[in-house]
Amino acid sequence: MRKRAKILALVLLLILTLSGCLKVDMSVRLNSDETGSLTAQFAISKEAYDYLKSFDSSGDPFDGQEYFEIVEDGVTYMAFKETKENLTFDEIAKYLVEGDEEDKEALTGSDSLFESVEITKTSGFLSNEYSFVASTIRVQKDTDDADNGLGDIGADLDGFGNSLAESLSKFTLTIEMPGKISPNSNGKVEGNKVVFTISDFTQGNILSVHSKDGLTSTYIYIGFAAILLILIVIFIIRRIIANRAY
């Protein structure tokens, strides 16, 4: 019964997002040693939170998550944040695709927004290259006749029409990479971070971020030029010395 109540509460939460009540922000930080961290922040409007609260006999619809208030664009939200530290690249990718295996009933452990995620590091002689490539799920607008890809939760959404697709419209993902972001990355580049704002899950989305650290080709060319110049100078000096000896 408790699990069922949580599922229904989440369904109600998704429906409430039609009026912009839900904000989901995820951040992934990747380190050069192939470790990283993942942070997820879920925020619902204060009004929506109070409404959900009235449906839970314990007075806490999210089982003791520590909430805090944030204000954005004049709207007050109740938010909670979860962070997982010291993960390997493979563990981060698995978490994004499969959710939290330790707590499937929690909001952060519910069905993922990602169909696939691949995080790699390619080591070179003087530099390393990193890539983050992910594809999001595709949400069917008609949940009556099609599998919406969200498992048991999606099965409870029959009859709600387009509400599921609309509920996933407020989502941002920030990827922080080691090194310099490569120009072939999509998303909005902010220093060594790339921010994705996803507004349409009905088509599926490809998120691609690439970076490079160590010596770039420009510095390598400068280094070779400097070495060549030094060799030329040494050759000239030795010729001058040799000529004077004669």
Side-chain angles (χ1 to χ4, degrees):
M1 288 297 292
R2 185 169 182 79
K3 180 177 180 181
R4 182 68 177 176
K6 292 300 177 185
I7 292 176
L8 293 177
L10 180 55
V11 171
L12 179 58
L13 177 61
L14 293 175
I15 296 170
L16 287 172
T17 61
L18 286 170
S19 58
C21 295
L22 175 64
K23 296 174 63 63
V24 180
D25 301 288
M26 298 188 74
S27 299
V28 175
R29 188 186 77 245
L30 303 180
N31 302 319
S32 59
D33 62 355
E34 298 185 65
T35 65
S37 63
L38 187 150
T39 299
Q41 177 174 290
F42 297 82
I44 60 176
S45 69
K46 182 66 164 57
E47 180 182 6
Y49 176 77
D50 291 339
Y51 187 55
L52 283 173
K53 194 173 179 180
S54 68
F55 283 86
D56 193 286
S57 59
S58 67
D60 182 3
F62 296 110
D63 283 343
Q65 291 283 358
E66 184 176 346
Y67 268 71
F68 53 92
E69 285 191 7
I70 60 175
V71 179
E72 187 172 316
D73 297 327
V75 179
T76 301
Y77 293 89
M78 301 300 292
F80 73 88
K81 183 182 294 186
E82 287 192 349
T83 300
K84 290 186 174 292
E85 299 277 1
N86 300 317
L87 301 175
T88 65
F89 283 4
D90 288 342
E91 288 171 338
I92 293 173
K94 182 178 180 181
Y95 183 91
L96 289 173
V97 173
E98 300 180 5
D100 192 345
E101 291 290 338
E102 296 179 359
D103 194 356
K104 278 294 186 182
E105 293 185 29
L107 183 57
T108 51
S110 60
D111 299 81
S112 171
L113 300 179
F114 296 94
E115 187 174 88
S116 66
V117 176
E118 184 177 10
I119 307 172
T120 60
K121 173 183 177 180
T122 303
S123 298
F125 176 59
L126 296 174
S127 63
N128 302 304
E129 296 184 1
Y130 307 85
S131 69
F132 176 99
V133 180
S135 61
T136 66
I137 61 171
R138 293 185 179 184
V139 176
Q140 300 290 338
K141 287 188 175 182
D142 183 3
T143 57
D144 291 329
D145 301 320
D147 179 10
N148 54 39
L150 294 183
D152 294 337
I153 293 175
D156 287 327
L157 287 171
D158 290 344
F160 289 120
N162 295 340
S163 61
L164 178 58
E166 296 292 337
S167 71
L168 295 175
S169 64
K170 295 188 179 295
F171 176 76
T172 62
L173 175 67
T174 301
I175 308 296
E176 181 178 349
M177 304 286 284
K180 183 178 180 181
I181 302 296
S182 302
N184 59 336
S185 302
N186 55 16
K188 181 180 179 181
V189 178
E190 299 178 353
N192 67 329
K193 298 180 181 180
V194 178
V195 181
F196 298 93
T197 300
I198 302 174
S199 58
D200 184 5
F201 280 86
T202 62
Q203 301 298 320
N205 302 271
I206 301 297
L207 316 180
S208 178
V209 185
H210 304 274
S211 70
K212 190 174 185 178
D213 68 3
L215 295 177
T216 64
S217 58
T218 300
Y219 288 112
I220 293 174
Y221 294 147
I222 292 174
F224 278 127
I227 293 173
L228 180 60
L229 180 61
I230 292 172
L231 292 176
I232 292 173
V233 171
I234 293 174
F235 175 77
I236 293 174
I237 292 174
R238 292 184 66 179
R239 288 295 300 268
I240 293 174
I241 294 174
N243 290 334
R244 287 180 177 178
Y246 288 107

Short mmCIF file of all heavy atoms in Angstrom, two decimals, residues 138-163:
data_model
loop_
_atom_site.label_atom_id
_atom_site.label_comp_id
_atom_site.label_asym_id
_atom_site.label_seq_id
_atom_site.Cartn_x
_atom_site.Cartn_y
_atom_site.Cartn_z
N ARG A 138 12.26 8.64 -25.17
CA ARG A 138 11.21 9.24 -26.00
C ARG A 138 9.87 9.00 -25.31
O ARG A 138 9.51 7.86 -25.04
CB ARG A 138 11.20 8.64 -27.40
CG ARG A 138 12.43 8.97 -28.21
CD ARG A 138 12.30 8.45 -29.63
NE ARG A 138 13.46 8.78 -30.43
CZ ARG A 138 13.56 8.51 -31.73
NH1 ARG A 138 12.56 7.89 -32.34
NH2 ARG A 138 14.64 8.85 -32.40
N VAL A 139 9.18 10.07 -25.05
CA VAL A 139 7.89 9.96 -24.37
C VAL A 139 6.78 10.03 -25.39
O VAL A 139 6.73 10.96 -26.21
CB VAL A 139 7.72 11.08 -23.33
CG1 VAL A 139 6.33 11.02 -22.69
CG2 VAL A 139 8.79 10.97 -22.27
N GLN A 140 5.90 9.04 -25.36
CA GLN A 140 4.76 9.03 -26.26
C GLN A 140 3.70 10.01 -25.77
O GLN A 140 3.36 10.03 -24.60
CB GLN A 140 4.15 7.62 -26.34
CG GLN A 140 5.10 6.55 -26.85
CD GLN A 140 5.43 6.71 -28.32
OE1 GLN A 140 4.66 7.32 -29.05
NE2 GLN A 140 6.54 6.16 -28.75
N LYS A 141 3.17 10.81 -26.67
CA LYS A 141 2.12 11.74 -26.29
C LYS A 141 0.83 11.02 -25.97
O LYS A 141 0.06 11.43 -25.11
CB LYS A 141 1.87 12.76 -27.40
CG LYS A 141 2.98 13.80 -27.52
CD LYS A 141 2.59 14.88 -28.49
CE LYS A 141 3.64 15.99 -28.51
NZ LYS A 141 3.25 17.09 -29.42
N ASP A 142 0.57 9.92 -26.67
CA ASP A 142 -0.65 9.17 -26.43
C ASP A 142 -0.32 7.99 -25.52
O ASP A 142 0.15 6.96 -25.96
CB ASP A 142 -1.24 8.67 -27.75
CG ASP A 142 -2.57 7.95 -27.55
OD1 ASP A 142 -3.06 7.89 -26.39
OD2 ASP A 142 -3.12 7.46 -28.55
N THR A 143 -0.56 8.12 -24.23
CA THR A 143 -0.21 7.06 -23.28
C THR A 143 -1.26 5.96 -23.23
O THR A 143 -1.07 4.96 -22.57
CB THR A 143 -0.06 7.65 -21.86
OG1 THR A 143 -1.28 8.30 -21.49
CG2 THR A 143 1.09 8.64 -21.84
N ASP A 144 -2.39 6.13 -23.95
CA ASP A 144 -3.44 5.11 -23.91
C ASP A 144 -3.04 3.89 -24.73
O ASP A 144 -3.35 2.77 -24.37
CB ASP A 144 -4.75 5.67 -24.47
CG ASP A 144 -5.35 6.72 -23.55
OD1 ASP A 144 -5.16 6.59 -22.33
OD2 ASP A 144 -6.00 7.65 -24.05
N ASP A 145 -2.35 4.11 -25.86
CA ASP A 145 -2.10 3.02 -26.79
C ASP A 145 -0.64 2.64 -26.93
O ASP A 145 -0.30 1.72 -27.63
CB ASP A 145 -2.63 3.39 -28.18
CG ASP A 145 -4.12 3.68 -28.15
OD1 ASP A 145 -4.84 2.96 -27.43
OD2 ASP A 145 -4.55 4.64 -28.83
N ALA A 146 0.24 3.39 -26.27
CA ALA A 146 1.66 3.11 -26.45
C ALA A 146 2.38 3.03 -25.13
O ALA A 146 1.97 3.62 -24.14
CB ALA A 146 2.28 4.22 -27.32
N ASP A 147 3.48 2.30 -25.16
CA ASP A 147 4.34 2.22 -23.97
C ASP A 147 5.14 3.50 -23.88
O ASP A 147 5.90 3.84 -24.77
CB ASP A 147 5.27 1.02 -24.11
CG ASP A 147 6.22 0.88 -22.92
OD1 ASP A 147 6.02 1.61 -21.92
OD2 ASP A 147 7.13 0.05 -23.01
N ASN A 148 4.98 4.22 -22.78
CA ASN A 148 5.67 5.51 -22.66
C ASN A 148 7.08 5.39 -22.14
O ASN A 148 7.76 6.39 -21.95
CB ASN A 148 4.87 6.47 -21.75
CG ASN A 148 4.57 5.85 -20.40
OD1 ASN A 148 5.40 5.16 -19.84
ND2 ASN A 148 3.38 6.10 -19.89
N GLY A 149 7.56 4.17 -21.88
CA GLY A 149 8.94 3.98 -21.49
C GLY A 149 9.23 4.24 -20.03
O GLY A 149 10.36 4.24 -19.60
N LEU A 150 8.18 4.45 -19.22
CA LEU A 150 8.40 4.73 -17.81
C LEU A 150 7.87 3.65 -16.89
O LEU A 150 7.50 3.89 -15.76
CB LEU A 150 7.77 6.09 -17.44
CG LEU A 150 8.40 7.30 -18.12
CD1 LEU A 150 7.73 8.58 -17.64
CD2 LEU A 150 9.88 7.36 -17.83
N GLY A 151 7.78 2.44 -17.40
CA GLY A 151 7.47 1.29 -16.56
C GLY A 151 6.13 1.38 -15.84
O GLY A 151 5.12 1.82 -16.39
N ASP A 152 6.14 0.96 -14.55
CA ASP A 152 4.90 0.91 -13.77
C ASP A 152 4.28 2.28 -13.57
O ASP A 152 3.06 2.43 -13.54
CB ASP A 152 5.18 0.28 -12.39
CG ASP A 152 5.57 -1.18 -12.52
OD1 ASP A 152 5.21 -1.80 -13.54
OD2 ASP A 152 6.24 -1.69 -11.61
N ILE A 153 5.14 3.29 -13.43
CA ILE A 153 4.60 4.64 -13.25
C ILE A 153 3.84 5.06 -14.50
O ILE A 153 2.74 5.60 -14.44
CB ILE A 153 5.74 5.64 -12.97
CG1 ILE A 153 6.35 5.32 -11.61
CG2 ILE A 153 5.23 7.07 -12.99
CD1 ILE A 153 7.56 6.18 -11.30
N GLY A 154 4.42 4.78 -15.67
CA GLY A 154 3.77 5.14 -16.91
C GLY A 154 2.45 4.42 -17.09
O GLY A 154 1.51 4.97 -17.66
N ALA A 155 2.35 3.18 -16.59
CA ALA A 155 1.12 2.42 -16.73
C ALA A 155 -0.03 3.07 -15.99
O ALA A 155 -1.20 2.92 -16.35
CB ALA A 155 1.32 0.99 -16.23
N ASP A 156 0.27 3.81 -14.92
CA ASP A 156 -0.77 4.48 -14.15
C ASP A 156 -1.22 5.80 -14.77
O ASP A 156 -2.11 6.45 -14.25
CB ASP A 156 -0.27 4.76 -12.73
CG ASP A 156 -0.21 3.49 -11.90
OD1 ASP A 156 -1.07 2.61 -12.12
OD2 ASP A 156 0.69 3.39 -11.05
N LEU A 157 -0.59 6.17 -15.89
CA LEU A 157 -0.91 7.46 -16.48
C LEU A 157 -1.96 7.37 -17.59
O LEU A 157 -2.27 8.37 -18.22
CB LEU A 157 0.35 8.11 -17.05
CG LEU A 157 1.32 8.63 -15.99
CD1 LEU A 157 2.63 9.03 -16.65
CD2 LEU A 157 0.74 9.80 -15.25
N ASP A 158 -2.49 6.18 -17.86
CA ASP A 158 -3.52 6.04 -18.88
C ASP A 158 -4.69 6.96 -18.58
O ASP A 158 -5.19 7.00 -17.46
CB ASP A 158 -4.02 4.59 -18.96
CG ASP A 158 -2.96 3.67 -19.54
OD1 ASP A 158 -2.00 4.20 -20.13
OD2 ASP A 158 -3.10 2.45 -19.37
N GLY A 159 -5.10 7.70 -19.61
CA GLY A 159 -6.23 8.60 -19.44
C GLY A 159 -5.82 10.03 -19.15
O GLY A 159 -6.67 10.92 -19.16
N PHE A 160 -4.54 10.27 -18.91
CA PHE A 160 -4.10 11.63 -18.63
C PHE A 160 -3.61 12.35 -19.88
O PHE A 160 -3.05 13.44 -19.80
CB PHE A 160 -2.98 11.62 -17.57
CG PHE A 160 -3.48 11.27 -16.21
CD1 PHE A 160 -2.98 10.15 -15.55
CD2 PHE A 160 -4.45 12.03 -15.59
CE1 PHE A 160 -3.45 9.82 -14.29
CE2 PHE A 160 -4.91 11.70 -14.33
CZ PHE A 160 -4.41 10.58 -13.68
N GLY A 161 -3.77 11.71 -21.08
CA GLY A 161 -3.46 12.39 -22.33
C GLY A 161 -2.02 12.81 -22.43
O GLY A 161 -1.11 12.00 -22.30
N ASN A 162 -1.78 14.09 -22.68
CA ASN A 162 -0.44 14.60 -22.91
C ASN A 162 0.28 15.01 -21.65
O ASN A 162 1.35 15.59 -21.70
CB ASN A 162 -0.51 15.82 -23.85
CG ASN A 162 -1.01 15.43 -25.22
OD1 ASN A 162 -0.96 14.28 -25.60
ND2 ASN A 162 -1.50 16.41 -25.96
N SER A 163 -0.29 14.74 -20.47
CA SER A 163 0.29 15.28 -19.23
C SER A 163 1.70 14.79 -18.98
O SER A 163 2.53 15.52 -18.47
CB SER A 163 -0.60 14.93 -18.04
OG SER A 163 -0.71 13.53 -17.88
#
